[in-house]
Amino acid sequence: MPLVLYDSYTQKTRPVDETKLITIYDCGPTVYNDVHIGNVRPMITFDVLVKYLRYKQDQVRYVQNLTDIDDKIINKAKQENKTESQISEFYSEQYIKLMAQLNAIKPDVMPKVSENIDDIIDFVDQLVKKNKAYVADDGDVYFSIDSVRDTYGKLSKQNLDELIDGVRKTNKKNKANSLDFVLWKKTDTGLNWKSPWNDHGRPGWHTECVLFVNKYLDKSITIHGGGIDLIFPHHENENAQNEALNGCGLADFWMHTGHINVDGIKMSKSLNNFILAKDILKKYSSNVIRWYMFQTTYRNPLNFSQVLIDQAKENLEKLMRSINTAIINLKLNNIKLKRSKVVSQEFIKAMDRDLNFPNAVTVIIEQVKTFSILFRNKDFTSINSTIDSIFTEFDVLGIKYELKFSKEDLKIIANWKKAIKRNDYTITDSCRKYFIDKKII
């Protein structure tokens, strides 16, 4: 069964061609501060996507950038009396550390803007030479929206004339069109480089990603993704540049994750309701954070509240205790857990339907519910295969199962086995109480 995904550009759900290399690009963070939980959602979504495709033995190449040249980094460096490189390197390391903490795989390539300046200059130069971009009187290089007038706005579903009217009042005199965006900014503030257009400048934001897609993947890739807030102008402007230079759309599928609201209100700096990912990790495990995010489909808004994440934690802990109980019962019956890494067909069906996380979670919950009947029937083969299936499904979802029995635990299980044989219910009850008190079962 093929994976089908919703494409933001066509607004249709279509099958992904899994017979060839699947190329995925996810817009990464601007590394000037710690990321918030809104940034974590696309990280986890694309992590699961890649893990699932690789579980299906598809060939996948996954790229995510790090924006380390930006006005925000310059301002942060001034505030802290540090260099831009010190700021960007520190927060790049923090982001990669966060990925590991959240059990997210590291992309195959994580390019930085600062390490690709020559390629960005060449990319912009090609657009200028094809008359898709122009050098303004003040030395800035702008992309010409008029060069892609027939396609601009189709990704974000906006009317070009209405967009132009909306920004006309703030149009800079040196722009040919009020919607034209900067590809190369003339400036001697912060890190800057010599280019064919001026002696001091740096890239605009929208060019780096399309350059990275072209350089590390292809002119047109399978999947391009990010948060829903990136559709306009960032993704629209990326796609416009690729249309202008390569004559094709940048991706076959555009995937966008929904907003995370806090107590029903959209996160915003003005309301100061941003929740940093590192702060959440002080209180909740990566398992809980992921389980909470799987309670709704990736495209829908997700509401964060203390009540909801505590509920997710409680439900996951209950699930884990049931699995632990099943594993201990296998041990009590001298059965070794075998791993074949085969998931249930219902789980595959849920994931193939546009990564339907809630349905995938429901499949696992229903699998756990079967344990009581299987125990009653002494069907240990089915118990074994069900645990194996759940563990593999956990792997795909990035959920870690880490039950490790101490020497004391193993000793108690051995005593439990002996007590069962001689029908010593006092000892068996005592052993069971030991694991309940430790919150293992």
Side-chain angles (χ1 to χ4, degrees):
M1 181 176 177
L3 168 69
V4 298
L5 293 173
Y6 180 83
D7 171 33
S8 298
Y9 192 97
T10 61
Q11 295 187 325
K12 293 179 180 179
T13 302
R14 299 182 285 108
V16 175
D17 184 355
E18 296 180 63
T19 63
K20 60 183 182 181
L21 175 68
I22 297 173
T23 47
I24 302 173
Y25 185 89
D26 174 31
C27 287
T30 300
V31 284
Y32 75 102
N33 207 342
D34 293 302
V35 300
H36 54 73
I37 57 171
N39 304 123
V40 168
R41 194 176 193 192
M43 178 204 294
I44 289 176
T45 298
F46 287 97
D47 174 65
V48 175
L49 173 64
V50 173
K51 284 174 175 169
Y52 181 58
L53 289 169
R54 286 177 176 165
Y55 166 76
K56 296 180 80 175
Q57 299 185 329
D58 292 335
Q59 294 297 308
V60 180
R61 183 165 170 82
Y62 176 35
V63 177
Q64 185 189 80
N65 71 306
L66 293 171
T67 299
D68 64 342
I69 301 295
D70 192 86
D71 288 343
K72 294 173 183 176
I73 297 172
I74 294 172
N75 295 335
K76 185 80 169 184
K78 288 178 180 178
Q79 290 172 12
E80 298 191 7
N81 196 28
K82 294 178 180 178
T83 65
E84 292 165 69
S85 296
Q86 286 175 321
I87 294 295
S88 62
E89 286 172 12
F90 175 78
Y91 286 109
S92 293
E93 290 173 3
Q94 292 301 107
Y95 181 73
I96 292 171
K97 179 181 176 182
L98 178 68
M99 293 182 77
Q101 288 176 306
L102 289 167
N103 196 28
I105 55 175
K106 191 173 179 181
D108 298 307
V109 186
M110 294 190 78
K112 295 181 178 180
V113 180
S114 62
E115 296 170 353
N116 290 270
I117 295 297
D118 288 344
D119 289 322
I120 292 173
I121 289 174
D122 180 64
F123 184 91
V124 175
D125 195 43
Q126 290 182 63
L127 286 170
V128 172
K129 287 176 179 176
K130 290 188 72 172
N131 294 318
K132 307 296 183 178
Y134 58 92
V135 184
D137 293 340
D138 59 2
D140 290 347
V141 181
Y142 287 98
F143 179 81
S144 172
I145 293 296
D146 290 330
S147 69
V148 289
R149 197 173 184 90
D150 292 340
T151 57
Y152 193 81
K154 288 190 176 181
L155 173 59
S156 56
K157 304 297 176 284
Q158 299 191 73
N159 181 280
L160 181 59
D161 291 329
E162 290 177 358
L163 283 171
I164 292 171
D165 287 340
V167 297
R168 183 169 287 151
K169 292 179 180 178
T170 58
N171 185 27
K172 292 178 67 174
K173 291 181 180 179
N174 54 350
K175 282 187 182 183
N177 185 313
S178 54
L179 280 180
D180 292 348
F181 54 90
V182 68
L183 302 178
W184 185 267
K185 181 180 179 180
K186 181 182 179 181
T187 179
D188 56 8
T189 301
L191 292 173
N192 58 82
W193 292 266
K194 186 175 182 178
S195 74
W197 317 288
N198 43 60
D199 291 337
H200 304 281
R202 64 173 182 270
W205 177 38
H206 304 302
T207 299
E208 64 187 79
C209 289
V210 63
L211 178 274
F212 293 150
V213 168
N214 287 182
K215 179 177 179 179
Y216 295 103
L217 295 172
D218 206 343
K219 291 180 179 179
S220 184
I221 60 173
T222 314
I223 301 165
H224 192 315
I228 194 170
D229 55 308
L230 293 179
I231 292 180
F232 188 84
H234 188 53
H235 286 169
E236 190 74 68
N237 289 350
E238 280 186 65
N239 197 53
Q241 291 172 80
N242 203 66
E243 291 270 9
L245 188 62
N246 298 317
C248 59
L250 191 56
D252 192 24
F253 291 84
W254 289 86
M255 282 181 69
H256 294 102
T257 57
H259 288 298
I260 289 186
N261 301 321
V262 178
D263 293 322
I265 301 172
K266 182 181 174 181
M267 284 195 299
S268 70
K269 291 181 180 178
S270 60
L271 294 175
N272 196 30
N273 63 346
F274 273 85
I275 299 175
L276 297 181
K278 68 174 186 179
D279 292 337
I280 291 294
L281 277 166
K282 291 175 183 176
K283 188 173 181 181
Y284 300 98
S285 68
S286 65
N287 281 354
V288 172
I289 294 170
R290 281 176 172 265
W291 200 252
Y292 150 73
M293 290 197 175
F294 297 151
Q295 302 311 300
T296 188
T297 56
Y298 74 87
R299 290 193 285 121
N300 287 340
L302 177 63
N303 189 47
F304 180 89
S305 73
Q306 199 72 51
V307 172
L308 291 175
I309 196 166
D310 283 340
Q311 189 178 66
K313 179 183 178 184
E314 182 181 342
N315 292 339
L316 184 60
E317 287 176 347
K318 182 179 179 181
L319 200 72
M320 291 295 191
R321 287 195 294 271
S322 295
I323 296 169
N324 296 344
T325 300
I327 291 173
I328 288 177
N329 270 277
L330 290 182
K331 288 181 177 291
L332 291 173
N333 287 276
N334 299 313
I335 298 171
K336 186 176 181 181
L337 182 64
K338 296 179 181 179
R339 295 296 308 274
S340 62
K341 297 191 175 181
V342 176
V343 303
S344 75
Q345 287 302 305
E346 290 303 310
F347 181 83
I348 290 175
K349 189 184 294 183
M351 294 298 289
D352 277 343
R353 290 177 177 170
D354 197 24
L355 302 183
N356 193 317
F357 294 145
N359 283 4
V361 165
T362 298
V363 170
I364 296 173
I365 293 170
E366 293 301 317
Q367 286 176 301
V368 170
K369 285 180 179 179
T370 66
F371 285 147
S372 58
I373 297 173
L374 296 175
F375 286 138
R376 201 156 49 240
N377 297 332
K378 297 185 182 299
D379 187 353
F380 298 113
T381 300
S382 294
I383 292 170
N384 203 329
S385 63
T386 302
I387 294 173
D388 173 32
S389 177
I390 290 170
F391 281 179
T392 307
E393 288 154 7
F394 276 171
D395 290 341
V396 169
L397 295 175
I399 300 292
K400 294 181 285 187
Y401 178 83
E402 297 179 335
L403 175 63
K404 294 179 181 178
F405 293 106
S406 66
K407 289 182 179 180
E408 181 65 19
D409 294 338
L410 294 173
K411 182 180 177 181
I412 297 296
I413 290 172
N415 291 338
W416 198 344
K417 285 182 185 179
K418 294 174 184 177
I420 289 172
K421 287 181 179 180
R422 61 176 186 266
N423 295 323
D424 189 338
Y425 299 117
T426 302
I427 296 297
T428 58
D429 289 346
S430 174
C431 293
R432 187 182 296 107
K433 184 177 184 301
Y434 167 84
F435 285 107
I436 290 173
D437 289 344
K438 289 188 70 175
K439 295 183 178 180
I440 291 177
I441 66 174

